[in-house]
Amino acid sequence: MGAFKKFLWSLMTIALIILSAILASVALVDDKLRYDMLSYLDLQNYRYILLGVAIVVLFFAIILLIDIIANQNDKREYLVEDNDGDIFITKNSLDSTVNSAVRQFEGAELTDSKVKIIKGETVEANIKCNIFGNRDFEDLGRKIQAEVERGLKELTGLQSSNAHVQLNKAEKSKEREIR
C-alpha cells in the first residue's frame, strides 16, 4: 500500500471514528440534553457544518467502495507458512509461473489458467492450452502437467501440487512464418 493510500485510509478511519463517537453520544445522553444538541440544527451555520461532515463521509465511503471493487481479485495474496519462515504469494506470481512453464514447449500457448492455494497445503492449477501443429497430445499433456507442478512446487515450497491440463488443437499459429 502506497504512502498516499495509507494516509487516505487513516484519515477515513479517523473521520468514521469521530462520526461514530458523535452518534453514540447523541444516542446515550438524556432526552433534555439530546434536544438541546439537536436544537442547534435550527441555526443555519450548524446545518452547513453537518452537511459538510455528511459530504466528507459520503466521499470517503465512495472511495472505499471503488477501492474494494477495483482490488477485489487482482492482487489476492496467499500466506504460505513453514518452519523456515512465511511467504506471501500473489495470484499474479502463480499465473506467471504457469505461463512460463507452458511457454517452454514449442507450439503450446496458454489460453486460460486458474491457480489457487488450498488451506496452505496444496496448489491446484486448472489450465487450458492451444497446441499448434501435429503433436502427441497425451505425451505433451503429461510433460506440461509435470513442468507446471514442478514450477509451482518451487515457487510455493509446498510439496503437494496438482495441475489439470486441457489441450485444444489450434488451427493457425499466431507466429509469423518466415519466407
Side-chain angles (χ1 to χ4, degrees):
M1 188 182 293
F4 178 72
K5 194 171 184 180
K6 283 183 184 178
F7 171 75
L8 192 61
W9 278 73
S10 300
L11 189 65
M12 289 187 283
T13 303
I14 291 169
L16 292 175
I17 289 171
I18 291 172
L19 181 66
S20 65
I22 291 171
L23 291 175
S25 66
V26 169
L28 295 176
V29 297
D30 65 347
D31 290 339
K32 183 178 182 330
L33 189 56
R34 184 180 313 117
Y35 178 76
D36 290 341
M37 290 169 68
L38 295 177
S39 68
Y40 285 116
L41 293 178
D42 291 338
L43 301 173
Q44 192 171 10
N45 290 343
Y46 288 105
R47 281 196 305 256
Y48 287 144
I49 291 172
L50 186 62
L51 181 63
V53 169
I55 289 171
V56 167
V57 170
L58 179 64
F59 178 70
F60 286 161
I62 290 171
I63 289 174
L64 287 172
L65 183 63
I66 289 170
D67 188 50
I68 288 169
I69 290 171
N71 295 321
Q72 187 173 9
N73 289 326
D74 288 349
K75 296 185 174 136
R76 187 172 50 208
E77 294 178 337
Y78 296 100
L79 175 64
V80 178
E81 299 175 354
D82 194 353
N83 292 337
D84 298 334
D86 300 340
I87 184 170
F88 277 107
I89 300 173
T90 64
K91 184 176 179 342
N92 190 28
S93 298
L94 294 170
D95 290 336
S96 295
T97 301
V98 170
N99 191 19
S100 65
V102 171
R103 279 188 301 183
Q104 292 179 7
F105 297 93
E106 186 177 334
E109 178 184 272
L110 183 68
T111 57
D112 186 31
S113 71
K114 293 179 180 152
V115 186
K116 58 185 172 182
I117 297 176
I118 300 171
K119 296 181 183 177
E121 299 171 359
T122 305
V123 182
E124 290 281 334
N126 293 315
I127 61 175
K128 294 178 183 176
C129 299
N130 284 340
I131 304 299
F132 300 101
N134 292 328
R135 309 281 301 267
D136 181 12
F137 274 62
E138 191 172 323
D139 183 48
L140 184 61
R142 277 195 300 269
K143 288 180 181 177
I144 290 174
Q145 180 181 10
E147 186 63 29
V148 167
E149 287 176 353
R150 185 192 62 76
L152 291 173
K153 283 179 185 177
E154 286 180 7
L155 176 69
T156 62
L158 299 174
Q159 295 305 314
S160 177
S161 72
N162 300 317
H164 305 284
V165 180
Q166 178 183 343
L167 301 178
N168 301 315
K169 182 161 179 65
E171 296 297 323
K172 294 181 181 179
S173 175
K174 290 184 179 178
E175 299 174 5
R176 295 188 321 185
E177 293 181 14
I178 299 175
R179 296 181 189 203

